Amino acid sequence: MWIQPEEVLLAGALWVSERANPFFILQRRRGHGRGGGLSGLLVGTLDVVLDSSARVAPYRILLQTADSQIYWNIACGSSRKEITEHWDWLESNLLQTISIFDNDEDVTTFVKGKICGIIAEENRLKPSDEQEEDSGKFREAELKMRRLFGMPDEEKLVNYYSCSYWKGRVPRQGWLYLSVNHLCFYSFLLGKEVTLVVPWTEVTQLEKNATLLFPESVRVSTRHTEHFFSMFLNINDTFKLMEQLANIAMRQLLDNEAFAADRSLPKPCKTLKNVSVLKRDLDARAKNERYRAMFRLTQDERLDGHTDCTLWTPFAKMHVVGQLFISNNYICFNSREEDLCQLIIPLREVSIVEKADSSSVLPCPVSISTKNKMTFLFANLKDRDFLVQRISDFLQRTPDSLWGDTSPLSSFDPASASSSVPSSSSVGSESIQKGRHYHPGLPTASQGLLQLYHQDALEDLGPKAMKEKMKEEAWNIHFSEFGRGVCMYRTSRTRELVLNGIPECLRGELWLLFSGAQNEMASHPGYYGDLVEQAMGLCSLATEEIERDLHRSMPEHRAFQNEMGIAALRRVLTAYAHRNPGIGYCQAMNIVTSVLLLYCTEEEAFWLLVALCERMLPDYYNTRVVGALVDQGVFEELTRAFLPLLYEHMQELGVISTISLSWFLTLFLSVMPFDSAVLLVDCFFYEGIKVTFQVALAVLHDNMDALLSCSDEGEAMTILGRYLDNVVNKQTVAPPIPHLHALLTSGDEPPPEIDVFDLIKSSYEKFGSLRSDVIEQMRFRQRLKVIQSLEDTAKRSVVRAMMTESAFSIEELEDLYCLFKSKHMTSCYWGSSSSAAERHDPSLPYLEQYRIDPVQFAQLFSALAPWTCGGHTSMLSARLFRLLDQNQDGLVNFKEFITGLSGMYHGDMTEKLKLLYKLHLPPALCPEEAESALEATHFFTEDELPDFSLSVAEVKDYRYYLRMWAKEKEPKRETIKDLPRMNQEQFIELCKTLYNMFSEEPMEQQLYHSIATVASLLLRIGEVGKKFNNGAKKAETAAQAPPSSLQKEERPGEGVSDESQVCQALADAQLEPAAPQTPDDDIKDDTSVSSYSVVSSGSLQCEDIADDTVLIGGSEQRRGSVLDVDWSITFEQVLASLLTEPPLVDYFETKRDIQAKMAACKAQRAVERQTSSTSDHELTQHST
């Protein structure tokens, strides 16, 4: 590639000049290509070890002038072919022009300007999303990576590091390349080469550790091996990047979404040396994730920047040191000291931003005022003018219409908390609103269910009610001092109030505030109402499951013993399933949502459910509850760290994995009395998942002695169940709700009651040291294990299911599954004709989850199929794909793939021939390949296919698909008599395939003779059959209309026999170009023509055509010949004819071994690398 001209002082050091003229020199790096001797080995070693030369391309072109000692590097190349193209361009376009210049300086200026112009033009012609911002050195490293490891252009390098790879006990110094999809290492030391490629999707563990053997190293584990890397200049940065890339790969395995680079990153103020655009992208993503998690913001929020500052806190009368964060919709502040102060100011609430007067006490202050009359004063800002300008820019982009009427929550009444009225309220008259499933007139649209059922109750003046009033008063004092609504100062005092229990009348409001759901609801007015209208009435698997679970959701609570509560729950769950079909509906969502509806309106409950499923409990409620399994692993790790004795015993009993799922999925709501569990939900919305871990550890700690004396899992479960049943809330004012679990597990002696406030206090005292960032680190480690474990489970399920349907062994099926899946995964990140979502559906059975398109199928077919047909292979692959693609969606799943492959490897002769026969009939043979193939279509259309005559409005529910699935599962016994007849064009295609199949066989000549004999025999059989068919047609009654006018007419070109057409077709099937027409005596020499020509002219008894007809190109012959539409043969005739030829019988009865082909397929990557490294050597030989 052309590069910006760079000065080179020593042109000869470490380089060999290969071409030269008065102005340019083409040089090759010593140690690259052939030869080189000891100096080449030393230079090759230097290129790997030293930072300065490790990124040097093996070829370059220098600009030189006679009088100057300075050279200019103007082009580099990773291969001889690339650099030669540049050299040829220079000689043909520039050499003559610059030879007439008088001054050497003018030559240099002219060439440098020309090269810069070419680079600018290349960048201008690139699409905007492909324009490279990476530095020249980095692009060189990326080119080197692709050359060393045989990667395509789609594989993007993120960063590369100098390090040592421990192979055995010997460290090999080299370079670690981290790309989007692979971890690669390359080392070349004194002639010994080490190359390693590990896809991120195969990584099962990633650890940073320090041992005596491996000082400060990174361990990368896969299913089969471990790799150690050490001697990093900055191991922390390297490890963080590895974690990010592995996380992206796990997300790919989980939902099959490929990595998409962020094209809207802000441009760097200066070009960062050797930092790629992708590295900046990933760094920005990591910062965004931390920012969003810290302030509970939505997934589309993007951090613009942050700066150190101080915030004046009027409640404490002091300046608090911390950081100010600016993003597209929020201004946030977090104190340096934990829990001292946190602040979130949505830009929709901001009314004035101004620079206040600066003083020695308050340098560079900025004042921000909100619509609810709160003012925030930030000071000690480094670049105040720039900050104010950025905030102003974001304010201008904030649409007033979106939240012009939305005010922050400013009253105690939860009814006013739902000031965001759906846009559906503006749709015409009230009568139209009543016709909608959700409208503001519904009781649950303005109040929580608990308030609706308590409004008629008499006022309680007992001690518990007084305690509740005191809590309300404490919160009101807090609001007056710290503010209310989204702009409230959040301090350690706020946490104390939450731990003491949120009053029932404020619970919904504060849940919305602390979870961040309030912000999302305010920015999407009317969204929930519209979603309900779209979702209600649709029938799907999710809605069926919702209906089944509706009456199991808190049946003990009177709010869900009537249609109003059930209908509200149905609307919220159905709307969410419609919003997020990837999750749809999962058991446990009904329990959590029913509790949300007690304290919130429908719309608020919906947005709280969004916050739970998509942010606070990520991946908890998908089809495989991955998030809950990950946190189960984290809980085991925490138990081992805090309660080591108990952990060992619990592992033996297998209890931890049983208890933690039900505890975490429902936030203790299903295992603890409602009044107690809801206090844990209060803490969860404020603190996040760490509270759940703390309380779970506290429960185990309180029962440690009893659990250590348990002898089996059932006993341990009973102890924990009875303990949790008796966790009570003695301060609740609501009437007691019977806890069904407690009724079932209570024994003769009721165990002592445990106050839930004591349990929460104990969890903070003993396990309050847990930090959210540590939990996230542990989640990452467990996510690798869980997802890879699920992938292994899927593989085992697939292999078990296919064992009965194919003759492959378990090991062969496992290897085939891995190859099939890797082909699918490769297409996800290296491009495919169909999107990843179309080819992967996690809701399907494991056998059908991964699907591949025709291009991927062709690659696997050519690598694994026993029938190698040379240039004809791609056509045969496309036909088999169409045959296997029964639902005609352009995709083939693993089951279908194995069915086709098993038929070729393990079928008897009849089965193999039947498959080959079908490959030359529709639908395998497409109309473009055989235009007159209509007669055979009946056989393939008689099977049940989906009814495409359904009207658009008709909705297929899951029962329809179950019926279709049951029909597909019915065994269809197909005999050879069921196969349709084959017409002449299809027969010619079959002959072509057979001729191409034997090119690599040891008995090649005998097989060609056999095929020629069989083809000749079948042609005569077809002719005889045609006469019988014509006689039968003449005997038919006149009442029956002729099927086609074409059959009445005489065929033109009658003088040309059918055998001549087949001869001609076989000539077309030659693998080599047809030889020119030769005299008869030359034909006797096998070396003068291809074996096809010899067999065709010698064995086919074509008496009415000359011997040399076969050797002529097919154009003249085809003009005078028309296919015989009456000619046809049956499968029995094909089978009987082939049985007469022993070479063909032996060929089709021979058992083929797939192991060698699978081993070659696995080694393909290494072969590609070897080919790429030897291509330069071959080119060198050609040039000499």
Side-chain angles (χ1 to χ4, degrees):
M1 64 179 180
W2 301 109
I3 58 174
Q4 295 288 346
E6 297 175 343
E7 279 191 18
V8 176
L9 294 176
L10 294 172
L14 309 180
W15 293 86
V16 178
S17 296
E18 296 206 334
R19 295 189 188 181
N21 60 42
F23 298 99
F24 301 107
I25 305 173
L26 190 155
Q27 293 185 324
R28 172 177 56 82
R29 187 79 169 166
R30 288 184 188 273
H32 185 82
R34 62 193 176 95
L38 181 61
S39 63
L41 288 178
L42 290 171
V43 173
T45 303
L46 284 172
D47 277 350
V48 172
V49 176
L50 295 183
D51 183 32
S52 59
S53 57
R55 297 182 296 274
V56 174
Y59 296 96
R60 71 180 182 183
I61 296 175
L62 300 180
L63 166 67
Q64 65 169 357
T65 53
D67 299 333
S68 175
Q69 295 299 313
I70 295 175
Y71 297 81
W72 294 89
N73 189 2
I74 58 172
C76 67
S78 58
S79 68
R80 184 178 293 278
K81 181 181 176 184
E82 181 187 2
I83 205 71
T84 304
E85 288 175 358
H86 287 359
W87 178 266
D88 292 343
W89 187 90
L90 288 171
E91 285 195 327
S92 58
N93 291 280
L94 286 191
L95 200 57
Q96 192 173 359
T97 306
I98 60 178
S99 61
I100 61 173
F101 280 50
D102 296 330
N103 191 339
D104 287 343
E105 287 185 11
D106 292 344
V107 171
T108 305
T109 306
F110 176 80
V111 173
K112 286 166 64 178
K114 193 70 178 174
I115 299 301
C116 292
I118 292 170
I119 294 170
E121 184 66 14
E122 283 177 350
N123 289 334
R124 189 184 66 79
L125 294 174
K126 283 183 182 177
S128 58
D129 59 340
E130 289 183 15
Q131 293 216 2
E132 295 178 353
E133 300 172 27
D134 299 333
S135 66
K137 288 290 185 187
F138 192 90
R139 290 205 298 277
E140 284 182 34
E142 189 168 50
L143 287 171
K144 185 175 181 181
M145 178 203 76
R146 290 176 188 155
R147 178 176 59 82
L148 288 173
F149 306 106
M151 301 285 182
D153 290 347
E154 290 83 3
E155 185 69 0
K156 302 295 184 187
L157 179 65
V158 180
N159 214 345
Y160 55 101
Y161 302 92
S162 171
C163 71
S164 291
Y165 170 55
W166 292 78
K167 196 170 183 184
R169 296 195 173 188
V170 179
R172 303 300 299 264
Q173 185 66 27
W175 286 86
L176 181 71
Y177 295 87
L178 303 181
S179 71
V180 172
N181 304 299
H182 296 88
L183 176 152
C184 307
F185 177 83
Y186 181 78
S187 172
F188 181 86
L189 291 175
L190 299 178
K192 289 189 177 180
E193 189 178 47
V194 175
T195 307
L196 174 73
V197 178
V198 180
W200 289 114
T201 49
E202 291 181 12
V203 173
T204 56
Q205 201 170 355
L206 203 59
E207 281 186 315
K208 184 176 66 174
N209 48 26
T211 62
L212 289 173
L213 186 61
F214 302 116
E216 201 171 39
S217 62
V218 173
R219 182 175 70 175
V220 180
S221 305
T222 64
R223 285 178 178 83
H224 309 295
T225 185
E226 290 182 341
H227 306 285
F228 289 89
F229 301 93
S230 64
M231 305 287 285
F232 290 97
L233 290 173
N234 192 334
I235 193 168
N236 292 326
D237 284 355
T238 311
F239 187 70
K240 279 180 185 175
L241 182 56
M242 285 179 163
E243 280 187 326
Q244 267 188 293
L245 293 169
N247 234 338
I248 290 168
M250 292 307 106
R251 177 57 55 188
Q252 217 171 53
L253 286 173
L254 190 60
D255 53 27
N256 237 241
E257 285 303 316
F259 174 80
D262 193 342
R263 298 293 176 189
S264 53
L265 282 176
K267 299 285 183 188
C269 51
K270 60 179 180 179
T271 303
L272 302 171
K273 186 181 179 183
N274 298 336
V275 176
S276 68
V277 178
L278 275 177
K279 178 70 168 66
R280 286 180 44 233
D281 181 358
L282 290 168
D283 289 345
R285 286 175 191 232
K287 287 180 181 177
N288 282 333
E289 285 169 14
R290 286 196 296 271
Y291 170 64
R292 288 193 295 259
M294 189 186 297
F295 299 104
R296 302 272 169 80
L297 302 177
T298 57
Q299 296 296 327
D300 57 350
E301 201 59 30
R302 298 162 57 83
L303 179 65
D304 187 67
H306 58 90
T307 183
D308 293 333
C309 71
T310 58
L311 169 67
W312 171 253
T313 50
F315 53 87
K317 303 290 189 291
M318 61 182 286
H319 293 280
V320 176
V321 179
Q323 280 194 317
L324 183 70
F325 300 84
I326 310 290
S327 61
N328 43 331
N329 292 306
Y330 298 92
I331 300 169
C332 303
F333 175 85
N334 196 42
S335 60
R336 187 177 296 170
E337 186 181 334
E338 195 175 2
D339 288 332
L340 188 59
C341 183
Q342 193 182 70
L343 187 63
I344 302 171
I345 310 171
L347 291 180
R348 65 175 185 271
E349 296 290 336
V350 173
S351 57
I352 301 171
V353 178
E354 57 185 351
K355 291 181 277 191
D357 294 333
S358 185
S359 66
S360 58
V361 180
L362 206 63
C364 302
V366 170
S367 169
I368 299 176
S369 303
T370 62
K371 294 173 183 175
N372 61 347
K373 310 299 185 220
M374 290 183 75
T375 301
F376 304 96
L377 191 62
F378 299 95
N380 290 285
L381 293 161
K382 290 180 181 175
D383 198 344
R384 181 174 63 163
D385 294 341
F386 178 75
L387 179 74
V388 171
Q389 184 59 48
R390 290 302 291 164
I391 296 173
S392 301
D393 292 342
F394 283 126
L395 280 172
Q396 286 175 1
R397 297 177 207 166
T398 305
D400 295 332
S401 58
L402 193 61
W403 35 64
D405 300 325
T406 305
S407 60
L409 306 176
S410 55
S411 66
F412 311 147
D413 186 5
S416 69
S418 62
S419 58
S420 177
V421 179
S423 61
S424 54
S425 60
S426 61
V427 182
S429 63
E430 192 174 333
S431 62
I432 295 175
Q433 292 175 8
K434 295 291 183 187
R436 291 167 65 93
H437 292 92
Y438 175 81
H439 55 83
L442 288 171
T444 51
S446 56
Q447 290 179 301
L449 288 169
L450 210 59
Q451 195 172 9
L452 288 170
Y453 282 93
H454 282 182
Q455 58 191 8
D456 300 329
L458 296 172
E459 189 176 357
D460 187 2
L461 299 174
K464 288 184 178 179
M466 294 306 293
K467 182 84 174 173
E468 186 78 0
K469 290 283 185 188
M470 288 170 64
K471 283 186 186 177
E472 288 179 33
E473 191 57 36
W475 274 98
N476 290 334
I477 293 169
H478 185 272
F479 290 146
S480 63
E481 195 174 343
F482 295 87
R484 187 169 190 172
V486 286
C487 299
M488 179 175 73
Y489 291 97
R490 303 172 197 208
T491 66
S492 54
R493 172 65 182 151
T494 316
R495 178 202 266 183
E496 288 173 20
L497 289 174
V498 171
L499 296 185
N500 289 329
I502 298 175
E504 283 191 357
C505 63
L506 294 174
R507 190 161 269 145
E509 173 188 339
L510 293 172
W511 283 359
L512 279 170
L513 181 65
F514 296 144
S515 66
Q518 172 65 40
N519 290 319
E520 206 159 4
M521 187 174 79
S523 55
H524 294 84
Y527 176 85
Y528 172 68
D530 294 339
L531 201 61
V532 170
E533 297 311 310
Q534 295 167 22
M536 295 303 286
L538 296 179
C539 190
S540 65
L541 200 58
T543 56
E544 291 288 338
E545 290 178 349
I546 289 168
E547 288 299 324
R548 191 177 63 237
D549 286 353
L550 282 176
H551 295 279
R552 304 177 190 172
S553 310
M554 294 190 70
E556 66 274 15
H557 199 288
R558 55 183 294 207
F560 296 99
Q561 293 168 357
N562 59 72
E563 185 53 33
M564 183 171 69
I566 294 292
L569 184 59
R570 178 186 293 115
R571 284 191 291 270
V572 173
L573 290 174
T574 306
Y576 186 77
H578 189 67
R579 165 191 165 91
N580 193 341
I583 291 177
Y585 171 77
C586 173
Q587 283 189 335
M589 284 172 72
N590 59 321
I591 295 170
V592 175
T593 309
S594 56
V595 174
L596 300 179
L597 280 166
L598 289 175
Y599 298 100
C600 307
T601 67
E602 269 186 56
E603 188 177 11
E604 292 167 348
F606 169 79
W607 286 112
L608 277 170
L609 185 62
V610 169
L612 273 174
C613 295
E614 297 173 15
R615 295 200 302 278
M616 300 190 75
L617 297 175
D619 301 321
Y620 257 60
Y621 300 107
N622 58 20
T623 49
R624 298 187 281 182
V625 292
V626 172
L629 292 172
V630 168
D631 281 351
Q632 175 183 298
V634 171
F635 182 53
E636 289 186 22
E637 209 173 324
L638 290 170
T639 308
R640 185 170 62 230
F642 287 100
L643 309 168
L645 284 176
L646 184 60
Y647 171 77
E648 296 294 336
H649 188 63
M650 296 282 273
Q651 281 296 96
E652 292 173 12
L653 301 180
V655 176
I656 295 181
S657 58
T658 310
I659 57 175
S660 52
L661 266 185
S662 58
W663 292 4
F664 295 156
L665 274 172
T666 62
L667 300 174
F668 289 96
L669 288 164
S670 63
V671 295
M672 202 181 276
F674 170 75
D675 294 324
S676 305
V678 80
L679 288 169
L680 299 182
V681 178
D682 291 344
C683 300
F684 169 76
F685 277 123
Y686 186 78
E687 291 271 37
I689 193 66
K690 65 171 276 191
V691 173
T692 313
F693 287 125
Q694 285 176 193
V695 172
L697 288 168
V699 170
L700 292 184
H701 184 270
D702 287 358
N703 292 278
M704 187 185 293
D705 294 336
L707 289 170
L708 285 172
S709 61
C710 288
S711 57
D712 58 51
E713 181 187 359
E715 189 181 351
M717 295 293 291
T718 304
I719 289 170
L720 291 170
R722 294 188 70 183
Y723 175 88
L724 290 170
D725 290 338
N726 288 278
V727 175
V728 297
N729 177 6
K730 297 177 180 177
Q731 298 180 12
T732 182
V733 291
I737 300 167
H739 183 48
L740 295 181
H741 193 255
L743 297 175
L744 295 172
T745 58
S746 59
D748 299 330
E749 284 187 25
E753 292 182 340
I754 301 97
D755 193 323
V756 67
F757 291 102
D758 292 342
L759 178 63
I760 292 172
K761 185 180 177 184
S762 166
S763 76
Y764 271 90
E765 286 174 353
K766 292 169 184 167
F767 309 106
S769 59
L770 273 182
R771 293 173 56 87
S772 298
D773 55 344
V774 175
I775 290 173
E776 284 305 314
Q777 188 71 29
M778 295 167 83
R779 273 178 163 177
F780 164 74
R781 285 199 298 270
Q782 294 299 328
R783 193 176 293 117
L784 286 177
K785 289 180 186 174
V786 167
I787 293 178
Q788 296 292 15
S789 172
L790 289 171
E791 291 297 311
D792 291 341
T793 304
K795 181 170 75 173
R796 286 193 295 270
S797 302
V798 167
V799 169
R800 277 199 304 269
M802 289 306 299
M803 279 297 293
T804 57
E805 299 192 26
S806 77
F808 289 116
S809 66
I810 293 177
E811 293 78 13
E812 287 171 345
L813 281 171
E814 285 183 348
D815 288 345
L816 285 169
Y817 179 81
C818 291
L819 287 172
F820 186 89
K821 184 183 157 193
S822 68
K823 186 60 66 179
H824 167 88
M825 294 305 301
T826 303
S827 70
C828 288
Y829 46 73
W830 284 349
S832 174
S833 57
S834 54
S835 71
E838 290 172 355
R839 288 177 285 105
H840 180 254
D841 186 353
S843 64
L844 291 173
Y846 287 130
L847 274 173
E848 301 169 28
Q849 278 191 12
Y850 293 111
R851 294 175 286 181
I852 56 176
D853 59 23
V855 177
Q856 301 155 336
F857 182 85
Q859 292 166 353
L860 284 176
F861 180 88
S862 61
L864 298 172
W867 297 342
T868 53
C869 299
H872 203 65
T873 304
S874 58
M875 192 178 294
L876 197 65
S877 163
R879 289 174 187 168
L880 182 59
F881 184 90
R882 288 192 288 271
L883 185 67
L884 296 175
D885 184 18
Q886 294 177 352
N887 58 358
Q888 298 179 353
D889 62 349
L891 298 168
V892 164
N893 61 40
F894 183 68
K895 181 181 177 182
E896 293 164 339
F897 173 72
I898 289 296
T899 304
L901 208 58
S902 185
M904 288 187 280
Y905 273 101
H906 300 295
D908 57 21
M909 180 178 176
T910 306
E911 290 296 319
K912 290 177 181 176
L913 288 173
K914 193 194 293 184
L915 177 60
L916 199 58
Y917 187 84
K918 284 183 180 180
L919 289 178
H920 298 83
L921 298 173
L925 196 74
C926 65
E928 290 79 10
E929 293 177 333
E931 295 175 359
S932 59
L934 297 174
E935 296 171 14
T937 55
H938 174 68
F939 171 75
F940 294 95
T941 54
E942 66 187 5
D943 292 341
E944 286 286 337
L945 289 172
D947 184 5
F948 294 109
S949 63
L950 289 170
S951 64
V952 178
E954 186 175 346
V955 179
K956 298 177 188 176
D957 64 4
Y958 78 99
R959 286 168 295 195
Y960 166 81
Y961 293 108
L962 285 175
R963 284 196 299 272
M964 292 299 298
W965 180 74
K967 281 186 180 180
E968 288 173 5
K969 290 292 177 188
E970 289 176 6
K972 297 175 184 176
R973 293 184 179 177
E974 180 186 74
T975 65
I976 58 176
K977 291 185 181 295
D978 296 328
L979 291 169
R981 299 178 74 87
M982 178 177 277
N983 67 24
Q984 197 173 76
E985 178 110 9
Q986 294 158 0
F987 174 66
I988 291 170
E989 292 295 329
L990 176 62
C991 289
K992 285 182 182 178
T993 301
L994 287 169
Y995 259 80
N996 280 283
M997 281 173 70
F998 309 134
S999 59
E1000 297 175 12
E1001 291 297 314
M1003 296 180 64
E1004 185 178 352
Q1005 291 299 325
Q1006 293 92 322
L1007 287 166
Y1008 288 146
H1009 280 278
S1010 298
I1011 281 298
T1013 306
V1014 169
S1016 181
L1017 178 60
L1018 285 170
L1019 280 169
R1020 292 194 177 89
I1021 290 172
E1023 284 295 323
V1024 174
K1026 182 177 70 171
K1027 291 174 183 176
F1028 279 108
N1029 289 337
N1030 287 342
K1033 283 178 188 174
K1034 289 174 184 175
E1036 288 177 359
T1037 59
Q1040 185 173 356
S1044 167
S1045 61
L1046 187 62
Q1047 291 176 355
K1048 294 180 183 178
E1049 300 173 1
E1050 289 189 8
R1051 269 187 308 126
E1054 199 68 40
V1056 182
S1057 74
D1058 298 318
E1059 289 183 358
S1060 69
Q1061 292 178 31
V1062 177
C1063 291
Q1064 187 58 55
L1066 297 179
D1068 293 343
Q1070 294 176 29
L1071 290 177
E1072 300 169 14
Q1077 192 167 355
T1078 55
D1080 291 344
D1081 57 338
D1082 288 343
I1083 295 174
K1084 295 174 185 174
D1085 184 6
D1086 280 358
T1087 58
S1088 61
V1089 291
S1090 72
S1091 56
Y1092 296 120
S1093 306
V1094 177
V1095 175
S1096 302
S1097 58
S1099 297
L1100 273 178
Q1101 298 167 6
C1102 305
E1103 295 91 349
D1104 56 343
I1105 54 173
D1107 286 348
D1108 60 353
T1109 305
V1110 179
L1111 305 178
I1112 304 174
S1115 57
E1116 297 90 355
Q1117 185 66 33
R1118 288 261 169 163
R1119 286 195 207 106
S1121 61
V1122 174
L1123 289 164
D1124 189 342
V1125 294
D1126 294 332
W1127 188 98
S1128 64
I1129 53 173
T1130 64
F1131 176 71
E1132 295 101 312
Q1133 292 164 346
V1134 173
L1135 179 61
S1137 303
L1138 283 165
L1139 286 171
T1140 63
E1141 292 292 324
L1144 288 173
V1145 174
D1146 291 343
Y1147 176 82
F1148 283 106
E1149 284 189 341
T1150 302
K1151 293 292 182 186
R1152 309 280 171 172
D1153 183 20
I1154 197 173
Q1155 291 286 357
K1157 286 188 175 285
M1158 285 196 292
C1161 201
K1162 288 178 186 175
Q1164 189 175 2
R1165 176 71 64 196
V1167 172
E1168 285 175 6
R1169 283 198 300 272
Q1170 189 178 353
T1171 305
S1172 67
S1173 61
T1174 57
S1175 59
D1176 294 322
H1177 175 58
E1178 291 164 5
L1179 282 165
T1180 308
Q1181 287 180 324
H1182 289 309
S1183 65
T1184 54

